[in-house]
Amino acid sequence: FSTDFLTDRAIEFMADSGSSPFCLMVSLPDPHGPNTVRAPYDTMYKDAVVPIPASLVRKPAQIPAWGKPAGVKPAQLQKLMRNYYGMVKCIDDNVGQILDTLRERNLLDRTIIVFTSDHGDLCGEHGRLNKGVPYEGSARIPFLIHCPHKIKGNTIVNAALGTVDFLPTILSLMDTPVPDKVDGRNAAALFTNPKADDWEDIAFVRSPSQRDRPANGWISAITEQFKLVYSFNEEPWLIDLINDPNELTNLFGQPAHREKSRWMTERLLAYGKANDDEYLSNPRIRSWVDQVLKSSRAINE
C-alpha cells in the first residue's frame, strides 16, 4: 500500500543518512480517490455517521458559476467518507512511525518537520468532491510545523499565506540566506513572534491557465476574513469567511464592503503586475476591476 511503502522508504533513507544533515520530502498520495485503503483501515470507520455538509444543497443565488455542484448525494458521501477517514488514520499512524524514528535517533529536537498538502478536498461541500475551486475546502490546506527552539508549541498563525511562501520561510528558520529571486514572502516572523504587525494579510489563488476552456478561469485574493473572486463569466464574489463559513452569500457591491473590495483589488492588481498574470488582462475581469476602483474613487471624492 503506497502510504506504507513510502513511509518505509523514508525510514530507510533516514537510517542511511547516518549523522549527516538531510532533507526529506515524503509525498503521500492519499487521501485521494477512489478512496480505497488496506485492512484494518478499510473497516475501521464502517459504522461512522458522516456529517452532511450544510452547503451540499444550495439555492441558485448561492451558486457562483465556478462553484456549480457535481451532484454528490448524501448516501454516496457516507460510503466515500468512511474510507476517507481510514486513509487519514493510516497516514496518521505512518507519520507517527517517522516521528518515532527521529526520536529513536535523537534527531527530533534537531529537525524541522512540516506537514502540509498540495490542495484540499471538498468532501461533499457545495455538492462537489475533489478540488479546483476557490472554496475553503479546496484551497485551504493544513500547515503544521515543528521547529525546535524557534517556534513555541501551540502557536497559531491566522494570517493568509500561500504555498509560494514556503521556501523563503523555511530557509529563514534554518538561518539560511533567501536568494533574491525566490518568489513568495518570508513568514518566519509570524511563527516566531505571533504579535508581528508588519505582515500584509493577503494571499492569492488562481485556477490553472485553461486555454482550451477560457470561460472557466478565476483568480482570487484572500485574507483571514474575506475572499474576493474574479472570474471570466460573472460578477465577482466577496465572501465573509468568518460570518459565512459555508461560503453561501455574495457581499460584492454592498456599500459596507466597498473599501475592502477596493483594497483587495488593488493588491490583486499589484500581484498581477509583479507576476505578469494573464488573468488580470482578461476583458471581463478587467471590466469588473475598473468598476470597483472607479466606484471607490467616487465615494472617496
Side-chain angles (χ1 to χ4, degrees), residues 68-110:
K68 289 182 179 177
V72 178
K73 305 295 187 212
Q76 175 191 15
L77 201 59
Q78 292 286 337
K79 183 172 188 258
L80 286 172
M81 291 307 297
R82 286 167 182 155
N83 277 348
Y84 189 98
Y85 297 159
M87 288 189 288
V88 171
K89 174 59 174 167
C90 184
I91 291 172
D92 285 347
D93 290 346
N94 274 275
V95 170
Q97 290 186 51
I98 293 173
L99 298 181
D100 286 343
T101 300
L102 290 170
R103 264 190 212 96
E104 292 163 5
R105 297 175 61 81
N106 295 317
L107 294 175
L108 191 60
D109 289 337
R110 297 167 49 200

Side-chain angles (χ1 to χ4, degrees), residues 4-190:
D4 303 320
F5 174 85
L6 292 168
T7 298
D8 290 345
R9 301 293 80 73
I11 291 172
E12 289 173 4
F13 173 85
M14 287 188 287
D16 291 342
S17 69
S19 59
S20 301
F22 61 83
C23 178
L24 171 63
M25 177 175 173
V26 185
S27 187
L28 304 175
D30 283 338
H32 199 284
N35 287 24
T36 55
V37 65
R38 68 165 174 87
Y41 302 99
D42 56 342
T43 59
M44 194 173 286
Y45 298 95
K46 63 183 178 63
D47 297 321
V49 177
V50 178
I52 303 302
S55 62
L56 180 68
V57 178
R58 298 168 293 168
K59 299 176 182 177
Q62 298 172 322
I63 306 174
W66 44 261
K68 289 182 179 177
V72 178
K73 305 295 187 212
Q76 175 191 15
L77 201 59
Q78 292 286 337
K79 183 172 188 258
L80 286 172
M81 291 307 297
R82 286 167 182 155
N83 277 348
Y84 189 98
Y85 297 159
M87 288 189 288
V88 171
K89 174 59 174 167
C90 184
I91 291 172
D92 285 347
D93 290 346
N94 274 275
V95 170
Q97 290 186 51
I98 293 173
L99 298 181
D100 286 343
T101 300
L102 290 170
R103 264 190 212 96
E104 292 163 5
R105 297 175 61 81
N106 295 317
L107 294 175
L108 191 60
D109 289 337
R110 297 167 49 200
T111 305
I112 297 175
I113 304 166
V114 176
F115 185 89
T116 187
S117 177
D118 55 344
H119 61 79
D121 193 318
L122 284 157
C123 296
E125 292 181 20
H126 303 278
R128 301 170 64 102
L129 299 172
N130 215 319
K131 55 182 179 178
V133 290
Y135 285 130
E136 293 290 275
S138 170
R140 188 170 183 148
I141 58 174
F143 188 90
L144 306 176
I145 182 166
H146 164 81
C147 185
H149 316 303
K150 291 209 172 179
I151 301 177
K152 292 178 63 175
N154 299 316
T155 296
I156 297 174
V157 173
N158 289 316
L161 299 170
T163 50
V164 72
D165 302 320
F166 175 91
L167 177 58
T169 300
I170 297 300
L171 287 177
S172 178
L173 291 170
M174 293 171 58
D175 298 319
T176 300
V178 180
D180 291 338
K181 295 194 178 292
V182 167
D183 288 332
R185 299 179 291 170
N186 177 6
L190 291 178

Side-chain angles (χ1 to χ4, degrees), residues 209-214:
S209 296
Q210 301 177 356
R211 300 185 191 282
D212 57 334
R213 294 186 296 161

Side-chain angles (χ1 to χ4, degrees), residues 222-294:
I222 306 171
T223 69
E224 179 186 352
Q225 180 170 1
F226 289 97
K227 178 181 297 176
L228 177 63
V229 184
Y230 284 98
S231 62
F232 291 0
N233 54 5
E234 65 177 345
E235 74 169 2
W237 269 65
L238 178 68
I239 301 167
D240 185 334
L241 299 173
I242 293 178
N243 295 304
D244 178 26
N246 291 317
E247 301 181 88
L248 298 174
T249 303
N250 187 7
L251 302 175
F252 181 78
Q254 293 188 9
H257 301 290
R258 280 179 181 157
E259 270 304 297
K260 178 59 67 174
S261 294
R262 176 196 63 78
W263 179 79
M264 295 178 75
T265 298
E266 288 179 345
R267 301 314 302 141
L268 191 59
L269 284 174
Y271 149 82
K273 183 177 180 180
N275 294 277
D276 193 25
D277 195 307
E278 60 186 334
Y279 279 15
L280 274 303
S281 299
N282 175 268
R284 294 295 300 276
I285 289 180
R286 191 69 218 193
S287 175
W288 281 110
V289 164
D290 291 343
Q291 287 186 48
V292 168
L293 298 181
K294 182 178 179 181

